[in-house]
Amino acid sequence: SEWDDAETALRAVLYHLRHLSQAWTPVLSRNVYHMSMGNLADLVFTLFLDPVWKAEDITEAASRFIHTLFLDMARGAAEMFLADSGGAAPTSHQELSLTENTMQHRFQVAKKFATLFEKSQAVGKFMAMRLSEIHRGLEEGVFRSVTARELSHLISAAFDDSEKRTALLNVLASKQ
């Protein structure tokens, strides 16, 4: 199915990024390595974000799938970024089971070098939220990396017409 294809594609991309990471870590300066991985991660994010932006109707099942896929994508991309002062990129499955603190630091590095990292995280979070949670997330800055137009499109595609949806779209329209 289309969903299986997306999961398979993400696994393949992350596999290849890990191999590039292993090859590049010893030969590239840390900054060049991070810029290179950031550019590759942005390409991956674009490939997965584009179909979401183009979707006219996002079912509840599709929302759950996108939520999980985007969480996996963010975590997989973050694992490519180096968190410690001198170490190398993860090389084994054991090394990938990182402490939460190290992962948080990798997420911060990923946000710095992959310009679409936060946007893809925000879209992933959106897919698991109700309208009231989206409204609160908007106030809390969860969606600061997503334009009002993009968020309006997601809301229209993922939620049936209702007073709550209309009210939230009106809030977003005032921000455009």
Side-chain angles (χ1 to χ4, degrees):
S1 79
E2 191 176 333
W3 293 1
D4 291 334
D5 292 348
E7 284 180 321
T8 301
L10 180 60
R11 273 195 311 275
V13 163
L14 292 176
Y15 172 83
H16 290 293
L17 284 178
R18 277 192 288 278
H19 278 274
L20 284 173
S21 172
Q22 290 169 17
W24 289 353
T25 302
V27 294
L28 295 178
S29 73
R30 189 176 203 73
N31 200 44
V32 170
Y33 170 84
H34 281 143
M35 287 190 305
S36 301
M37 293 309 286
N39 286 332
L40 290 173
D42 279 341
L43 178 62
V44 173
F45 294 141
T46 298
L47 291 172
F48 284 89
L49 281 167
D50 279 354
V52 174
W53 298 138
K54 291 175 184 158
E56 294 300 319
D57 186 38
I58 301 172
T59 64
E60 207 173 309
S63 289
R64 285 192 302 272
F65 174 78
I66 294 165
H67 170 72
T68 302
L69 188 73
F70 277 46
L71 283 180
D72 292 346
M73 182 169 59
R75 184 172 179 85
E79 287 174 348
M80 301 304 133
F81 292 90
L82 311 178
D84 54 335
S85 55
T91 54
S92 72
H93 194 31
Q94 280 179 319
E95 289 176 39
L96 289 179
S97 44
L98 302 161
T99 66
E100 199 51 43
N101 196 27
T102 303
M103 249 347 263
Q104 284 308 112
H105 188 234
R106 287 177 187 243
F107 271 75
Q108 292 306 316
V109 176
K111 285 176 189 175
K112 180 179 175 186
F113 288 97
T115 58
L116 295 175
F117 188 84
E118 282 186 282
K119 184 175 280 201
S120 64
Q121 272 193 304
V123 170
K125 287 175 186 173
F126 169 93
M127 294 297 167
M129 295 175 140
R130 295 187 300 273
L131 284 169
S132 58
E133 294 168 321
I134 293 166
H135 195 277
R136 192 168 42 257
L138 193 59
E139 292 168 356
E140 294 169 358
V142 171
F143 301 108
R144 74 179 146 264
S145 60
V146 181
T147 67
R149 182 178 305 245
E150 289 167 335
L151 194 54
S152 294
H153 176 77
L154 288 176
I155 292 166
S156 295
F159 293 95
D160 292 331
D161 194 15
S162 67
E163 284 183 33
K164 264 187 176 178
R165 183 181 96 163
T166 301
L168 186 52
L169 289 173
N170 287 338
V171 167
L172 289 167
S174 69
K175 294 179 183 286
Q176 288 186 29

